[in-house]
Amino acid sequence: MTPLITQNLPTPLRLADFKLAAFDMDSTLINIECIDEIAAAAGRKAEVAAITEAAMRGEITDFKDSLRRRLALLKGVPVAALEKVLSEKLRFNPGARELCAALKAAGLKLLLVSGGFTWFTRHVAAELGMDFVRSNELEIVDGALTGHLVMQPWGEICDGEEKRRMMLQCATEIGAQPAQCIAVGDGANDLPMMGAAGLSVAYHAKPKVRAQAMVAIDEGGLDRLLGLFT
């Protein structure tokens, strides 16, 4: 297995110097892009996946617009399709449970911050022991998706800037500085929070993200990160 790619790492890298770890969900902690799998139930996976891929690569710079375009294609999808994705498709990526358990054991708080949906983040957060969660709420009427999101107290769409803001807000709540935050992601939507964190980690990420991260895990599981700490 190839070594981790590292650049501009603080030295020494000690887990005790960090207080918060923020994680993207889709394709980072879990093996799928949930919105693409929902789209499969509507027979529109190719259309939606193409937009998802372009947004993750950073080719579509307006995440909110890209999400609204994809959601519109999901209008009428039954709730049963969401249940099927959760039970049959969603799996944790290698090392996700181990990394989160080790971070919690070391006293860090965990944040799940996703441009995905609460239908799935609730499950993932409960399984991994997340302390904070932020994600989008699908609007469901008469047992089917409307193609829209529900407005929440903080706003409607969790985009890259909201991920960054939430990470910094949680850090403030626990008395941590940005330098004491770890941010882990794979797509362009994760770059704002990764850029604000003391340690940024790209997991099987798009080239643009890999190039800007301090640590890139291109092979193996998320728990490989633990090997960098003294």
Side-chain angles (χ1 to χ4, degrees):
M1 191 175 292
T2 59
L4 300 185
I5 299 169
T6 60
Q7 58 183 353
N8 303 319
L9 279 181
T11 53
L13 193 62
R14 299 179 300 193
L15 199 50
D17 292 334
F18 295 93
K19 294 185 177 181
L20 177 72
F23 290 91
D24 169 55
M25 180 179 72
D26 295 74
S27 297
T28 300
L29 288 173
I30 64 174
N31 64 323
I32 59 172
E33 292 289 327
C34 291
I35 193 167
D36 294 353
E37 298 304 325
I38 297 169
R44 291 175 169 170
K45 184 171 183 177
E47 295 172 75
V48 171
I51 300 172
T52 300
E53 180 71 11
M56 288 180 63
R57 288 196 304 260
E59 295 167 6
I60 298 176
T61 56
D62 187 339
F63 175 82
K64 290 183 178 181
D65 177 65
S66 78
L67 182 57
R68 290 188 179 107
R69 285 165 56 192
R70 286 175 285 170
L71 285 169
L73 294 169
L74 302 183
K75 183 177 180 179
V77 173
V79 166
L82 305 182
E83 295 170 344
K84 188 172 182 179
V85 171
L86 182 58
S87 63
E88 296 183 10
K89 300 288 186 179
L90 189 152
R91 299 292 182 267
F92 288 96
N93 274 332
R97 291 182 184 275
E98 292 82 357
L99 175 58
C100 289
L103 295 178
K104 286 184 73 70
L108 279 75
K109 298 295 184 182
L110 304 183
L111 163 65
L112 177 58
V113 60
S114 172
F117 309 117
T118 56
W119 187 279
F120 304 102
T121 58
R122 278 193 290 263
H123 168 77
V124 171
E127 287 288 314
L128 299 180
M130 294 287 167
D131 299 285
F132 308 99
V133 184
R134 177 136 299 172
S135 58
N136 304 310
E137 181 78 38
L138 290 165
E139 184 178 63
I140 299 171
V141 176
D142 296 328
L145 302 186
T146 66
H148 300 287
L149 296 174
V150 175
M151 183 66 72
Q152 300 183 73
W154 51 266
E156 180 194 15
I157 295 178
C158 183
D159 61 357
E161 285 306 314
E162 181 60 26
K163 288 188 176 192
R164 177 182 180 276
R165 196 194 69 77
M166 182 62 176
M167 183 187 75
L168 296 177
Q169 175 185 313
C170 292
T172 298
E173 285 185 24
I174 65 172
Q177 299 298 315
Q180 295 172 300
C181 296
I182 302 169
V184 186
D186 72 307
N189 196 39
D190 300 314
L191 286 173
M193 73 170 179
M194 292 171 70
L199 177 62
S200 56
V201 182
Y203 180 69
H204 292 236
K206 301 305 177 186
K208 183 177 180 179
V209 180
R210 188 186 304 117
Q212 296 184 42
M214 295 178 185
V215 178
I217 302 173
D218 292 335
E219 293 184 28
L222 281 160
D223 55 338
R224 290 193 69 196
L225 180 64
L226 296 170
L228 291 180
F229 293 103
T230 59

